[in-house]
Amino acid sequence: MMPDENTSLWTRTCDARIATTPLDRDIEVDLAVVGGGFTGCSAARAAAADGARVALVEARTIAHGGSGRNVGLANAGLWLPPETIMAQMGEASGRRLLDALAAGPARVFDLIEAEGIPCEATRNGTLHLAHAPAGLADLRERFRQGNALGAPLALLDEAETARRTGSPAFHGALLDPRAGTVQPLAYCMGLALAAQRAGAMVHESTPVDTITHANGAWTLTANGHRLRAGAVLVATNGYHAGLRGVPAPRHATVHYSQFATAPLPETARARVLPGGEGCWDTALVMTSVRVDRAGRLIVGSMGNIDGPGRAIHASWARRKLARLYPDLAGTAIETSWQGRIAMTADHVPKVVSIGPRGYSIFGYSGRGIAPGTVFGEAAARALLADAPDALPIPVQDRHDEALTGAKTAYYEFGATVEHAIRPAPFG
């Protein structure tokens, strides 16, 4: 089937709706937020809850970008092992970031409960799956490093991994019980609705043309109107486009596609991820596996199904499904979609100063849910109080990366080649 980027599974299964209007007048606020994803909605909710006048403007619709196309894993930490993060950032800065992100899933699930967000929240942990013996060695090292820092990780053997996943394809797994899964678009929509209830103005269909700073205030122009603010947060991440006056986020772009079946038969549903854990594996071109509340099996990987490699990626998904669950070979893919990941060179998020009390935050490298929630709330506090130390990482005056376009092409080429040859055709 040909994918339609506007009709992901999450779009089809999100019951929540938000009533907004495009910006249609000049307004003045304490904080202007550009971008309606996890970071922007989290910041708007937190700032409005603290009594600030807040306006969130989104070029398309809430969670239109990567937030609404996410796998839905609320993980603690980043892709990188803890010791690598501390080596890159320094021990003090690295520990500060790791501590903030370790608490990220708890903050997500606390917000879901406090705000009554209906988003299929399942807090049964996540499984990092060893796709090969080398992958299991990597997980053993991550287990050692995580437990040394107090993370309650558990290393599962092959038999327990097969029991939890319903698949014999893995050599073991690393269980993080702090984490879980959500319906990502519904979670983001819930944050936006909570921001509205707290008093924030939310304007969809409001692309910002320019951002300028003069005389101690920011001015954003959008839809022919002016939005004046004491502070501004640009949270466009991998979907930044057409915004003049501030530096565009510098990062490579990784396309990530997902393929969902219809709800599985009860016999299969009782065996395939019966605990509802979200999973991803240790392969260089990683695979994610999860189920939603209705029992759909969702397999994802790097690759752009809106690009030239669409047929290769779609064929890979069918073969991968059969390799993981041989009895489900031939199960139809009901829905497919893709999103864009902002991948920084060191795989660490960036907070860049764009001027007085102005930040651009980007680069979660595929870990948007919990980090975006944490960074959004921290950014609201930091901007309103002019206190950059409230952020989990130091603010940078600038961030530049070379060859981002070439890296983007390289990632897609690598994923396409990998999907063309692996897994080998079944039968």
Side-chain angles (χ1 to χ4, degrees), residues 9-10 13 120 122 181 183 259-276 289-299 321 325 328 331-332 334:
L9 172 64
W10 309 135
T13 61
E120 303 185 15
T122 303
T181 62
Q183 206 277 35
F259 305 83
T261 69
L264 298 176
E266 283 302 317
T267 52
R269 182 65 192 92
R271 177 177 52 82
V272 175
L273 291 167
V289 186
R290 63 161 297 188
V291 291
D292 73 350
R293 185 159 292 174
R296 300 176 182 89
L297 178 58
I298 307 159
V299 177
L321 178 63
Y325 301 100
L328 298 179
T331 299
E334 187 178 69

Side-chain angles (χ1 to χ4, degrees), residues 48-310:
D50 284 345
R53 296 170 300 165
V54 181
L56 184 153
V57 291
E58 161 59 45
R60 302 287 291 271
T61 56
I62 294 298
H64 169 82
S67 297
R69 305 168 193 275
N70 197 282
V71 175
L73 277 56
N75 278 308
L78 303 174
W79 273 10
L80 300 175
E83 291 179 5
T84 301
I85 293 173
M86 289 188 288
Q88 289 181 178
M89 300 181 64
E91 185 170 356
S93 292
R95 281 297 299 264
R96 180 180 168 194
L97 175 60
L98 289 167
D99 288 346
L101 296 184
R107 184 56 185 152
V108 168
F109 290 108
D110 286 349
L111 279 170
I112 289 169
E113 182 176 0
E115 298 291 353
I117 300 175
C119 61
E120 303 185 15
T122 303
R123 196 175 185 181
N124 286 347
T126 53
L127 296 170
H128 195 177
L129 304 168
H131 80 293
L136 184 57
D138 176 55
L139 295 185
R140 288 194 182 105
E141 179 60 18
R142 289 173 181 267
F143 172 74
R144 181 193 68 77
Q145 293 185 27
N147 281 7
L149 294 176
L153 306 176
L155 191 63
L156 309 182
D157 63 17
E158 188 171 349
E160 177 63 9
T161 301
R163 186 191 71 79
R164 286 176 178 263
T165 61
S167 172
F170 304 106
H171 296 257
L174 190 62
L175 168 67
D176 189 341
R178 300 169 296 180
T181 62
V182 298
Q183 206 277 35
L185 190 152
Y187 170 60
C188 192
M189 186 69 72
L191 290 177
L193 288 165
Q196 266 192 338
R197 289 194 298 271
M201 294 174 280
V202 178
H203 297 285
E204 296 177 306
S205 301
T206 303
V208 174
D209 300 314
T210 60
I211 300 180
T212 58
H213 186 273
N215 301 319
W218 292 93
T219 300
L220 292 71
T221 60
N223 292 351
H225 298 280
R226 293 184 178 181
L227 170 57
R228 289 177 56 82
V232 64
L233 172 62
V234 177
T236 51
N237 204 29
Y239 286 77
H240 187 94
L243 175 54
R244 301 187 300 274
V246 296
R250 295 288 295 168
H251 57 78
T253 299
V254 174
H255 293 269
Y256 198 90
S257 295
Q258 297 181 73
F259 305 83
T261 69
L264 298 176
E266 283 302 317
T267 52
R269 182 65 192 92
R271 177 177 52 82
V272 175
L273 291 167
E277 301 96 335
C279 311
W280 74 104
D281 70 14
T282 53
L284 182 61
V285 179
M286 60 163 276
T287 297
S288 60
V289 186
R290 63 161 297 188
V291 291
D292 73 350
R293 185 159 292 174
R296 300 176 182 89
L297 178 58
I298 307 159
V299 177
S301 185
M302 295 164 59
N304 182 9
I305 56 172
D306 285 344
R310 61 173 66 88

Side-chain angles (χ1 to χ4, degrees), residues 9-24:
L9 172 64
W10 309 135
T11 301
R12 295 178 180 183
T13 61
C14 180
D15 294 330
R17 298 290 183 270
I18 188 168
T20 73
T21 58
L23 184 67
D24 60 0

Side-chain angles (χ1 to χ4, degrees), residues 310-351:
R310 61 173 66 88
I312 291 173
H313 299 311
S315 176
W316 166 87
R318 293 189 293 270
R319 300 195 314 273
K320 188 70 174 182
L321 178 63
R323 284 298 186 194
L324 295 177
Y325 301 100
D327 61 313
L328 298 179
T331 299
I333 302 296
E334 187 178 69
T335 310
S336 57
W337 68 99
Q338 65 91 16
R340 300 201 295 265
I341 294 171
M343 185 78 74
T344 58
D346 61 3
H347 306 304
V348 174
K350 307 301 173 191
V351 180

